[in-house]
Amino acid sequence: MDRLDRIEAVALPIAEANCDTDQILPAQYLQKPRADNFGNYLFAAFRFREDGSEIPDFILNRPAYRPARIVVASHNFGCGSSREHAVWALYDYGIRVAIAPSFGDIFQTNCLKNGLLPVVLPTDVVAALLQDLEATPGATISVDLPGQIVVLPDGSSHGFAVDAFAKDCLVNGIDELDYTLARASEIDRFERDHSPA
Amino acid sequence: MRSSAGSAQTMHDKIWNSHRIVSRDDGQDLLFIDRHFIHDITAPAFEILRERGLKPRAPHRIFGTADHYVPTHSRDMAAVNHPERRTMIEALTRDAAESGIQIFGLGDPRQGIVHVIGPEQGLSLPGMTIVCADSHTSTHGALGALAFGIGATEVGHVLATQSLWQRKPRSMRISIDGTLGAGVTAKDIILTIIATIGVAGATGHVIEYAGSAIRGLSMEGRLTVCNMSIEAGGRAGMIAPDDTTFAYLKDRPYAPKGEDWERAVAGWRELASDLDAVFDREITIDAASIAPMVTWGTTPEDATPITGVVPDPDAIADPGRREGMARALAYMGLVPGTALEEVPIDRVFIGSCTNGRIEDLRSAAAVVKGRKVAGRIEAWVVPGSQQIKAQAEAEGLDRIFKAAGFDWRFAGCSMCLAANGDTVAPGQRCASTSNRNFVGRQGPRARTHLMSPAMAAAAAVTGHLTDVRRLMEGA
Ligand code: SF4
């Protein structure tokens, strides 16, 4: 995964609450290999007709939003299925930050493990932001991960929380698996003492 | 956090604490994972391992099954004529063989949906930590385990290290006390809970289900309730193990035997939350207030008693919710004010990891017996496992379904996810015992109404959504 520290980019508003991972990446693409570009399947059911042509009304197909690298969503974004493919679809499309008042738990974890930063902002801030982004297509947001600050199109800036370890992994491209493998002896010791299961 | 050392503990605390290997500065704990289930969508995680030259650390703790992509009209690999689906099933077989992992593949008499066969084989046991790359892993918590779904990268981590970094979720107890009315099932309990607290109501929490109505449920019913914890946003769901649990598990193939069994049960009896344990949140629902439920919209919280009507978005004050409801009704092709019992259906799907167990098939068969599937409705029963299929056939349930005009299929996820090609056609309306009524879940533009097996059976024989209690009165 690529490192992430600062980014300024067009933001894509997804106003519907409870946007589940079935919507982000429909089940019919779960069988594709990871080497595929899942960005081509992002929101596929809303983005494309059955013949593969684009549905012009869908927000991602509107020219001003095409270069989006940030998604702004309503509450409970990414709820439902644990499919990491939903994160891959966003990531492969070019999305590096998702902003919402709340996320599905598994999705939020999957984001952090794939170089996609989930940012929780207050409900009223996100509601106003969604309206701004719809009123001004192509408006940009800047995100400073080391400083933990986002600057919105209206010029307001907002701090956000992120786990120190996850931040370190994102900023420095560190892999958690390497970190854990280095502690294999502690796992060995635990397994020896742990009652059989 | 609430529990300092020595103070009262919840079941969640006890299982968590007994599996913590180390803690990290940021507050995450490295948890040891006892049981890891894999299925035919786990291939990307094995790729992660292969790329790094790693092998699974503890193959004996891992068990797999082919469920998402298997055909349900045949047990023949030749019936999987879609090359990518075939690749997924073959990848599971290859990955398992390479690492010495036991799988129950297509053609194995133990094959079935991963969340059905784990408990059925005695692989999911009280006190365990259990993971799988599948959000409905919460199901296994019904046995008194901490069981939750994870993504592919986390699966890679568990494969390589048999452990997982987690921040401890908060705890929530949902108590259902009292007696359930006739025709009211575990599915109605969980749909009522989700309609009450919402699809994000338990986000960040592990739910413990408690109360006399929960304790009164069979193991099958408890599995149904815990299965849909994720539909309330919960990280996991669990129920304290008791004699019902032990009776269910005893003599299962992988359950402990003899003295080991006695010792295990004695330990499992200690798992229940301490009487004075404090939960971060408490919800109470009166069992007597629960009616047979159906969903009318596109999230599981869009559920209401079958005696009701399609709700009116104009009556909703919150603009976001109003728009969401209007969009859901447009997708579902429903008009506000219509009595739910007047909504005609095209398809019936009885199955899934929510409601594909023997008790579910029995309750559906009891409604179907002596009746016929209405009109041109296409109605399917897809048992949750091949063992359940065999059991149902031994009891003659298959004959009841077939005589009524149902299709009697082989085990798999089937129309719950429509990933294997079993789909509801565009615009068709399906009475389904599965767990998600999301847009397109059962196929592009498919319309899903979630309900219990008895309610789905009632819809099959009348041709429209039906209060199953009417058919019970007439029986
Ligand atoms: S039956 Fe449905 S919910 Fe259950 S594991 Fe299969 S696809 Fe997932």
Side-chain angles (χ1 to χ4, degrees):
Chain A
M1 82 191 182
D2 294 337
R3 298 166 46 166
L4 176 73
D5 48 15
R6 286 175 194 80
I7 180 171
E8 174 163 6
V10 169
L12 175 77
I14 304 288
E16 293 85 17
N18 303 313
C19 177
D20 57 74
T21 52
D22 275 75
Q23 314 308 308
I24 300 171
L25 190 278
Q28 70 203 89
Y29 304 106
L30 293 177
Q31 62 218 23
K32 302 282 182 190
R34 179 65 191 98
D36 236 21
N37 181 349
F38 278 80
N40 293 333
Y41 317 129
L42 177 65
F43 292 119
F46 304 92
R47 207 166 133 205
F48 305 113
R49 297 197 186 88
E50 266 145 60
D51 65 4
S53 63
E54 287 187 357
I55 298 171
D57 288 352
F58 183 63
I59 196 149
L60 203 55
N61 292 330
R62 290 166 56 190
Y65 295 112
R66 278 180 200 263
R69 301 196 67 201
I70 295 172
V71 161
V72 178
S74 206
H75 75 81
N76 206 24
F77 186 60
C79 60
S81 160
S82 60
R83 60 187 69 169
E84 201 154 313
H85 312 62
V87 177
W88 301 339
L90 289 162
Y91 187 90
D92 288 0
Y93 184 86
I95 304 295
R96 300 301 306 277
V97 180
I99 299 173
S102 62
F103 292 93
D105 283 333
I106 307 176
F107 176 81
Q108 190 164 6
T109 303
N110 288 344
C111 282
L112 288 169
K113 313 248 165 182
N114 284 276
L116 203 161
L117 173 69
V119 171
V120 174
L121 291 184
T123 305
D124 53 336
V125 172
V126 174
L129 175 58
L130 283 166
Q131 285 185 353
D132 283 358
L133 295 175
E134 278 167 24
T136 317
T140 63
I141 293 176
S142 79
V143 180
D144 171 1
L145 174 54
Q148 295 182 221
I149 297 265
V150 291
V151 181
L152 305 183
D154 66 1
S156 64
S157 57
H158 304 264
F160 62 89
V162 58
D163 275 0
F165 185 87
K167 176 175 163 179
D168 200 28
C169 289
L170 285 170
V171 172
N172 299 308
I174 294 173
D175 186 291
E176 191 174 53
L177 183 48
D178 286 335
Y179 175 85
T180 313
L181 285 169
R183 322 187 74 143
S185 63
E186 287 172 86
I187 304 172
D188 290 342
R189 193 174 330 119
F190 182 93
E191 190 167 19
R192 260 197 320 276
D193 302 343
H194 183 62
S195 57
Chain B
M1 280 242 119
R2 99 222 114 251
S3 51
S4 53
S7 67
Q9 291 187 310
T10 64
M11 177 165 50
H12 174 213
D13 293 331
K14 293 180 187 181
I15 301 177
W16 189 279
N17 292 340
S18 65
H19 288 80
R20 183 170 43 214
I21 301 169
V22 291
S23 302
R24 206 162 62 191
D25 291 347
D26 66 349
Q28 296 218 17
D29 294 336
L30 187 64
L31 288 187
F32 188 78
I33 302 301
D34 295 315
R35 181 69 71 227
H36 183 186
F37 290 110
I38 61 173
H39 55 47
D40 46 6
I41 311 187
T42 318
F46 280 88
E47 282 307 315
I48 293 172
L49 245 62
R50 211 168 275 125
E51 273 167 23
R52 311 173 60 121
L54 295 169
K55 288 233 153 231
R57 183 183 193 277
H60 65 287
R61 294 184 182 275
I62 310 172
F63 289 81
T65 182
D67 51 8
H68 288 73
Y69 288 107
V70 297
T72 59
H73 64 288
S74 160
R75 288 289 87 163
D76 192 347
M77 257 317 255
V80 190
N81 49 20
H82 191 299
E84 286 175 336
R85 291 179 194 143
R86 172 186 279 276
T87 304
M88 296 299 278
I89 301 173
E90 287 170 350
L92 171 71
T93 312
R94 183 201 57 216
D95 293 336
E98 271 178 15
S99 300
I101 294 168
Q102 168 76 57
I103 55 163
F104 310 120
L106 193 63
D108 191 300
R110 298 162 295 182
Q111 179 269 347
I113 305 169
V114 63
H115 311 308
V116 174
I117 67 164
E120 182 174 272
Q121 291 297 320
L123 288 164
S124 308
L125 297 172
M128 276 186 168
T129 48
I130 302 174
V131 297
C132 173
D134 196 292
S135 58
H136 293 102
T137 306
S138 60
T139 312
H140 308 252
L143 296 147
L146 175 62
F148 52 93
I150 56 178
T153 304
E154 291 187 310
V155 168
H157 192 281
V158 175
L159 287 174
T161 68
Q162 205 56 37
S163 65
L164 194 62
W165 291 102
Q166 293 283 300
R167 178 175 302 282
K168 191 178 179 189
R170 291 185 292 277
S171 64
M172 176 175 193
R173 178 161 57 191
I174 301 181
S175 304
I176 317 283
D177 278 303
T179 310
L180 295 173
V184 179
T185 69
K187 184 64 161 287
D188 304 304
I189 293 179
I190 189 63
L191 285 174
T192 300
I193 289 172
I194 300 165
T196 305
I197 69 172
V199 288
T203 302
H205 291 76
V206 165
I207 306 170
E208 179 174 339
Y209 302 95
S212 57
I214 296 291
R215 283 196 301 278
L217 289 176
S218 66
M219 208 58 234
E220 282 86 350
R222 296 176 185 192
L223 289 159
T224 300
V225 170
C226 287
N227 174 270
M228 290 187 73
S229 302
I230 182 71
E231 258 55 70
R235 196 75 186 84
M238 49 172 65
I239 295 173
D242 59 11
D243 289 338
T244 301
T245 321
F246 309 142
Y248 173 90
L249 283 172
K250 192 161 176 15
D251 300 325
R252 299 264 164 194
Y254 289 90
K257 302 281 174 339
E259 276 178 33
D260 288 344
W261 168 259
E262 300 302 332
R263 209 175 309 121
V265 170
W268 295 341
R269 287 194 192 281
E270 305 296 316
L271 285 168
S273 293
D274 296 333
L275 285 177
D276 48 351
V278 179
F279 289 78
D280 295 308
R281 277 180 72 195
E282 294 261 13
I283 309 267
T284 314
I285 294 174
D286 176 11
S289 71
I290 301 175
M293 301 286 283
V294 289
T295 61
W296 47 262
T298 54
T299 81
E301 75 181 30
D302 300 338
T304 196
I306 179 65
T307 48
V309 298
V310 175
D312 186 355
D314 288 341
I316 305 293
D318 175 56
R321 178 68 185 143
R322 183 167 63 230
E323 271 172 45
M325 191 186 261
R327 200 167 32 240
L329 292 182
Y331 179 82
M332 292 297 291
L334 293 173
V335 177
T338 310
L340 285 164
E341 282 201 275
E342 283 167 16
V343 175
I345 55 152
D346 308 296
R347 302 288 291 265
V348 175
F349 170 58
I350 297 176
S352 87
C353 60
T354 314
N355 281 127
R357 298 184 182 79
I358 190 68
E359 183 185 277
D360 301 317
L361 305 193
R362 286 181 192 137
S363 80
V367 174
V368 165
K369 192 167 188 177
R371 297 188 167 105
K372 291 271 183 222
V373 170
R376 25 140 220 99
I377 288 171
E378 199 178 321
W380 290 15
V381 181
V382 185
S385 74
Q386 286 296 99
Q387 300 245 303
I388 289 166
K389 179 171 186 281
Q391 169 82 28
E393 286 169 359
E395 296 179 17
L397 304 183
D398 61 322
R399 289 197 297 279
I400 295 174
F401 286 117
K402 285 190 266 191
F406 274 85
D407 240 27
W408 178 250
R409 320 264 306 183
F410 295 97
C413 295
S414 185
M415 244 192 292
C416 170
L417 182 71
N420 71 336
D422 293 350
T423 57
V424 173
Q428 277 191 335
R429 188 181 297 289
C430 182
S432 179
T433 67
S434 54
N435 45 43
R436 285 186 175 144
N437 51 347
F438 295 162
V439 168
R441 173 79 177 183
Q442 295 194 288
R445 291 196 284 120
R447 294 162 168 163
T448 304
H449 294 272
L450 303 177
M451 63 194 77
S452 72
M455 285 282 289
V461 298
T462 63
H464 50 85
L465 302 182
T466 298
D467 188 339
V468 65
R469 292 172 297 194
R470 289 180 196 287
L471 303 189
M472 293 166 61
E473 279 158 18

